[in-house]
Amino acid sequence: MFIVGLPLLILLFKIHASVSSVLPLLKRLRWLFLSLFILNLWFHSPELTWLPNMAGLLLALERVAVLIIIVLVAHLLITTTETQDIIAALQWWFMPLNKIGFSTERLAVRLALVLDTVTAVQKLYTNTPTIRTKNPIKIISARVAGLFTQVL
């Protein structure tokens, strides 16, 4: 499945998305990748050793590669599918929960509101001017303060 699925994913990704659009997502997740890699190095081994064995190294690399593929597929899904189609699909998947009293219509409305809010805040964030300083804490706090005032 990996041999067939990965080239298909690469082809679809090349047609519908770009590497520059997903690179910031992967950059934000680098600490998660590193922590999962380190945890998977030693926890798959039955005996406790100071250095991981080759099987642990390969399993850790496989887990990180699978997580990167999941991020790529999720990005591809978001870029190629309309928001209304995603909401309709989730509402259809959650339809059996109507029998136990869970309202899928309310979930669809909440999801639509959240997705609209996220896109609106992303537009506000990209339009926020950046300050020129070398201190990253000041840059982050100024952008968050500007974004907060724009949202209010």
Side-chain angles (χ1 to χ4, degrees):
M1 181 140 175
F2 191 70
I3 294 171
V4 173
L6 190 61
L8 182 63
L9 172 68
I10 291 171
L11 178 70
L12 286 173
F13 195 79
K14 188 174 181 178
I15 293 171
H16 295 289
S18 66
V19 176
S20 63
S21 65
V22 79
L23 205 58
L25 296 172
L26 295 174
K27 189 177 176 183
R28 283 185 223 139
L29 292 172
R30 68 182 179 264
W31 295 111
L32 177 66
F33 295 148
L34 181 65
S35 62
L36 285 175
F37 179 75
I38 290 172
L39 286 174
N40 281 302
L41 275 178
W42 283 281
F43 287 132
H44 286 290
S45 175
E47 67 273 350
L48 181 63
T49 60
W50 286 104
L51 295 174
N53 55 8
M54 187 54 90
L57 179 68
L58 291 176
L59 282 172
L61 286 174
E62 179 186 4
R63 302 287 177 170
V64 172
V66 166
L67 189 58
I68 289 172
I69 290 171
I70 289 172
V71 169
L72 293 176
V73 169
H75 180 72
L76 188 64
L77 176 73
I78 295 295
T79 57
T80 59
T81 310
E82 295 290 327
T83 306
Q84 293 85 7
D85 294 336
I86 293 173
I87 292 170
L90 287 174
Q91 191 173 5
W92 182 79
W93 274 100
F94 291 140
M95 196 67 70
L97 296 177
N98 278 336
K99 296 189 189 309
I100 59 171
F102 186 75
S103 176
T104 57
E105 290 83 15
R106 290 178 65 194
L107 174 70
V109 169
R110 287 180 182 172
L111 185 62
L113 290 174
V114 166
L115 291 175
D116 287 342
T117 305
V118 165
T119 56
V121 171
Q122 281 178 344
K123 288 177 186 173
L124 289 175
Y125 180 77
T126 56
N127 295 335
T128 304
T130 58
I131 61 170
R132 302 280 185 214
T133 182
K134 293 189 179 200
N135 189 352
I137 305 267
K138 285 185 180 181
I139 294 171
I140 292 170
S141 62
R143 286 197 99 170
V144 168
L147 187 62
F148 183 73
T149 57
Q150 284 182 350
V151 168
L152 283 181

